[in-house]
Amino acid sequence: MRKPFYRRGTFQIVFAFAAIIASIISCEHEPIFRALPSDDSTNEVDTGICFERDILPIFQNSCATTNCHNSITQKDEYVLDNYDNITKKGIVKGSAASSKIYEVIRKNEMPQNPVPKLTDAQKNLIKRWIDGGAKNGTNCPIKCDTATFTYTDAVKKITANYCTGCHNSLDSQAGINLSTYWGTRNAALNGKLWNSLNRTTAWMPQGGNRLSDCELTQIKKWTNAGAPNN
């Protein structure tokens, strides 16, 4: 006996509905993977260090000096005046222990006289920077407070980072020695320090970035206070 038409239609509808449900269920259990946006908004691994602000001035002041590792002399074929040149040779990104540049710095083999040796704090900064991948951090906020303008906490740190490679006890270019308190005091009180730093062109440090407004204010306030040894 032939089945009624409506029963055949009902069966077809139920079968189609079941197929749709099965398809939906299978989709619900299939994982969906979305690429997460990469957060490369900063060039630093160690958030306490920025190449342009913290590392570059050390190399420019202590290494890329006359008769050493500047673009003219290129001693031992090293030029240490910008990021590309500094990381081109002697730096193993991620391993200070494997980096020749750090090794000679750590052993006080560089910089050589008359440039003062790096401080332990400067060596540690370079080590941390290399171990963190030697990233090219740029446009970094300046760590500076104009309310702090003592010789020890402000002025001495500025001259050690930017000036003593050329203006030290053995190589006092332009008659300025900024490696000691008395030399810095004399340069401040006779106006040579401020005049060399505050120029709109050909400022000091030579070949480096101009000091920030905050750093210049610290120098000015200390000088106006009589350049005390505080």
Side-chain angles (χ1 to χ4, degrees):
M1 182 175 178
R2 193 174 179 183
K3 294 180 180 180
F5 174 79
Y6 77 90
R7 292 185 62 185
R8 293 201 306 273
T10 301
F11 177 78
Q12 291 171 344
I13 292 171
V14 170
F15 181 81
F17 183 76
I20 293 172
I21 294 298
S23 175
I24 292 174
I25 292 173
S26 66
C27 290
E28 287 179 347
H29 287 276
E30 183 177 348
I32 299 174
F33 297 99
R34 292 185 178 89
L36 295 176
S38 61
D39 183 12
D40 194 23
S41 58
T42 176
N43 290 324
E44 303 173 68
V45 171
D46 188 329
T47 56
I49 297 179
C50 169
F51 172 76
E52 188 176 63
R53 180 192 64 210
D54 303 315
I55 305 300
L56 181 59
I58 298 175
F59 279 102
Q60 289 180 330
N61 178 53
S62 299
C63 307
T65 54
T66 304
N67 299 322
C68 206
H69 302 297
N70 60 14
S71 59
I72 298 175
T73 308
Q74 301 187 26
K75 188 175 181 180
D76 298 326
E77 298 182 356
Y78 281 91
V79 179
L80 303 176
D81 57 358
N82 60 48
Y83 177 78
D84 289 337
N85 287 334
I86 291 169
T87 57
K88 182 187 299 183
K89 178 182 178 183
I91 295 286
V92 178
K93 296 180 179 181
S95 178
S98 303
S99 299
K100 183 176 181 180
I101 287 178
Y102 175 71
E103 186 66 10
V104 297
I105 288 173
R106 183 184 68 82
K107 293 180 177 179
N108 283 331
E109 294 174 1
M110 292 293 292
Q112 296 180 346
N113 287 334
V115 180
K117 303 300 181 185
L118 299 189
T119 65
D120 289 341
Q122 290 173 320
K123 293 177 188 176
N124 185 52
L125 274 174
I126 293 174
K127 180 182 186 301
R128 287 167 52 198
W129 171 67
I130 297 173
D131 284 339
K135 300 295 183 178
N136 186 19
T138 60
N139 300 318
C140 317
I142 299 296
K143 296 178 179 178
C144 181
D145 181 2
T146 57
T148 301
F149 55 93
T150 62
Y151 174 73
T152 302
D153 292 330
V155 178
K156 186 177 181 180
K157 292 179 180 180
I158 293 172
T159 57
N161 279 338
Y162 298 104
C163 310
T164 54
C166 296
H167 303 286
N168 53 70
S169 299
L170 298 178
D171 185 19
S172 54
Q173 294 185 25
I176 300 174
N177 173 19
L178 301 177
S179 64
T180 68
Y181 162 71
W182 289 106
T184 308
R185 176 184 182 275
N186 291 339
L189 295 182
N190 64 26
K192 289 184 178 181
L193 178 61
W194 177 253
N195 290 336
S196 64
L197 296 174
N198 194 45
R199 299 169 186 162
T200 54
T201 59
W203 58 73
M204 294 293 168
Q206 187 176 22
N209 293 332
R210 190 170 182 266
L211 296 191
S212 68
D213 289 342
C214 178
E215 291 167 319
L216 290 172
T217 299
Q218 287 177 315
I219 295 286
K220 189 65 173 177
K221 284 186 173 182
W222 177 70
T223 302
N224 290 344
N229 188 8
N230 50 8

